[in-house]
Each structure stands twice: as C-alpha cells, then as structure tokens.
Amino acid sequence: SDCIILLTDENGVMLRVIEGSELLARQNARFRLVTGSIWTEETVGTCAQGLTLIQGTPFQICGPEHYCETYDKISCSSAPIYDAYNNLAGTLCIVTPSFHHQSSQSLGLVVSMAWAVQNEFALLLNNEILSVTLDAADEAVITVNRSGLITRSNSAARQMLQNGNPGLVGRNIEDVLGTHSCIKSVLETGKSVYDAEIEIPRLNQRF
C-alpha cells in the first residue's frame, strides 16, 4: 500500500522499516527512515511517534505540524505498544508520503495493529506462566488437541513417559499411552472423565 510502516522500541530506535512500494523506497531516501535510526523529540523534533513515546497515547501529525521541514509533506499515525506488564515497549507508525492521504482510518488501523501486537505479548506471558505452573506439578500433565496430538507436557510427564524416546510434543497420544476408551471418550464428547485407570503395557504400569 501507499505507506511506510515503522516499528520502534521504547527509546524510539527503528526496529523495522517496511516500505509499501519502490516509489516509497526512493522517497524514503529523503526521509532517512532506516533500521537503527532514532526518532524522538530530541533527535527529529515533533513527530507522531515521538509524541506517542512521551504521552503513551496514539497521535496523528500531518504536514507542517512536524517540526522538521523535511517531513512537511508527509503524515504520520502512531500508536503505543505495551507489554504484558503494561510497560511501554515501543510504537507502531504508519507514514503516508502526502498529508492529503491522511485520514482517521490510518490512525484507527495503526491502533488496531498495536493492539494485535499487545495481545501476542499477553499470550506469550500466559503460555510461559502455564509452562512454569505445569512443570511445578508433581503429577504428569499432558495436553492433547482434538486430533489426538500432544501439544504440551510437563517435566513429570516427560520423565515418566519418554523412556528414552523422542519428545512427547507432536506425537499421537495413542502412540505414547496406547488406546484407551476414557481418552477417546473425552476427545469425541468433550465430557470430563475422572479417576479412570489405564494400563500402559510397554511401561508395564498402571496409572
């Protein structure tokens, strides 16, 4: 599309610069938006992404509202990205080469994109917390998807069931535990089964 997308860290350092076309790449030689450059109030004066770093809120700056004359023909829409602990982790910015192309939709789009990144932060943290919690349990815990493939296992399960075999994740539950009606029932009906006894012949054990 007719825009440049910028991703920065919390200090205004450009982490990614994505140019939507060859024309924009040539125009960008004038803007000097490159990975590693620092865009803040101190380095380039007033710009949307610099204000977002200061205020922690979305901003849209158009044309001559920029401090630097080099940017008096462009418009920028910027939104903050917060990590899972609500710390400012960076900004996402959409730059259009003409301020006539700016609209409230550009601001709405960059806010939505920033929210999507924040959701990824939250998912990563939740997965990390879940992994730590599962590994702290004495019981063997395995999660299985609808296809019967193991998606997660804690250290107790790996110690009990791997038995020198490759990792559990990605294997079919029947290859690990054998065929058991209680497990099949849960996968097919979605109804819980409690305190069912299973036997694993290859381990010569009952659980």
Side-chain angles (χ1 to χ4, degrees), residues 4-97:
I4 300 170
I5 299 175
L6 310 173
L7 176 69
T8 79
D9 68 7
E10 70 278 14
N11 297 311
V13 179
M14 297 287 172
L15 303 177
R16 288 287 302 276
V17 177
I18 303 172
E19 296 148 339
S21 66
E22 287 294 326
L23 176 61
L24 283 175
R26 291 194 296 272
Q27 288 181 329
N28 192 21
R30 179 166 58 94
F31 303 147
R32 295 177 185 173
L33 291 161
V34 296
T35 302
S37 60
I38 303 173
W39 272 42
T40 62
E41 185 78 16
E42 290 76 21
T43 59
V44 297
T46 302
C47 62
Q49 170 253 324
L51 290 174
T52 293
L53 287 173
I54 295 170
Q55 299 292 335
T57 58
F59 272 94
Q60 188 173 68
I61 296 289
C62 305
E65 292 175 345
H66 290 91
Y67 174 82
C68 185
E69 284 186 1
T70 306
Y71 313 121
D72 67 356
K73 295 291 192 294
I74 67 175
S75 70
C76 298
S77 300
S78 179
I81 297 172
Y82 288 94
D83 66 17
Y85 301 100
N86 208 33
N87 299 313
L88 184 64
T91 69
L92 200 62
C93 187
I94 295 178
V95 179
T96 55

Side-chain angles (χ1 to χ4, degrees), residues 12-190:
V13 179
M14 297 287 172
L15 303 177
R16 288 287 302 276
V17 177
I18 303 172
E19 296 148 339
S21 66
E22 287 294 326
L23 176 61
L24 283 175
R26 291 194 296 272
Q27 288 181 329
N28 192 21
R30 179 166 58 94
F31 303 147
R32 295 177 185 173
L33 291 161
V34 296
T35 302
S37 60
I38 303 173
W39 272 42
T40 62
E41 185 78 16
E42 290 76 21
T43 59
V44 297
T46 302
C47 62
Q49 170 253 324
L51 290 174
T52 293
L53 287 173
I54 295 170
Q55 299 292 335
T57 58
F59 272 94
Q60 188 173 68
I61 296 289
C62 305
E65 292 175 345
H66 290 91
Y67 174 82
C68 185
E69 284 186 1
T70 306
Y71 313 121
D72 67 356
K73 295 291 192 294
I74 67 175
S75 70
C76 298
S77 300
S78 179
I81 297 172
Y82 288 94
D83 66 17
Y85 301 100
N86 208 33
N87 299 313
L88 184 64
T91 69
L92 200 62
C93 187
I94 295 178
V95 179
T96 55
S98 168
F99 65 83
H100 299 298
H101 293 166
Q102 69 84 22
S103 70
S104 57
Q105 291 178 338
S106 300
L107 186 59
L109 177 61
V110 79
V111 168
S112 297
M113 291 163 64
W115 282 348
V117 176
Q118 288 178 186
N119 287 337
E120 288 297 317
F121 274 129
L123 284 172
L124 286 170
L125 178 63
N126 288 338
N127 281 334
E128 190 175 326
I129 290 172
L130 179 59
S131 294
V132 170
T133 304
L134 290 179
D135 278 338
D138 293 330
E139 296 84 1
V141 181
I142 299 172
T143 60
V144 182
N145 67 16
R146 281 187 159 187
S147 302
L149 297 179
I150 297 173
T151 58
R152 189 189 297 270
S153 63
N154 70 351
S155 56
R158 292 190 294 273
Q159 188 174 359
M160 183 186 297
L161 300 171
Q162 271 184 226
N163 199 27
N165 292 323
L168 298 176
V169 173
R171 298 177 64 193
N172 192 287
I173 188 68
E174 291 191 356
D175 294 339
V176 176
L177 298 181
T179 302
H180 299 283
S181 59
C182 60
I183 296 174
K184 199 170 183 181
S185 169
V186 172
L187 290 175
E188 289 177 353
T189 67

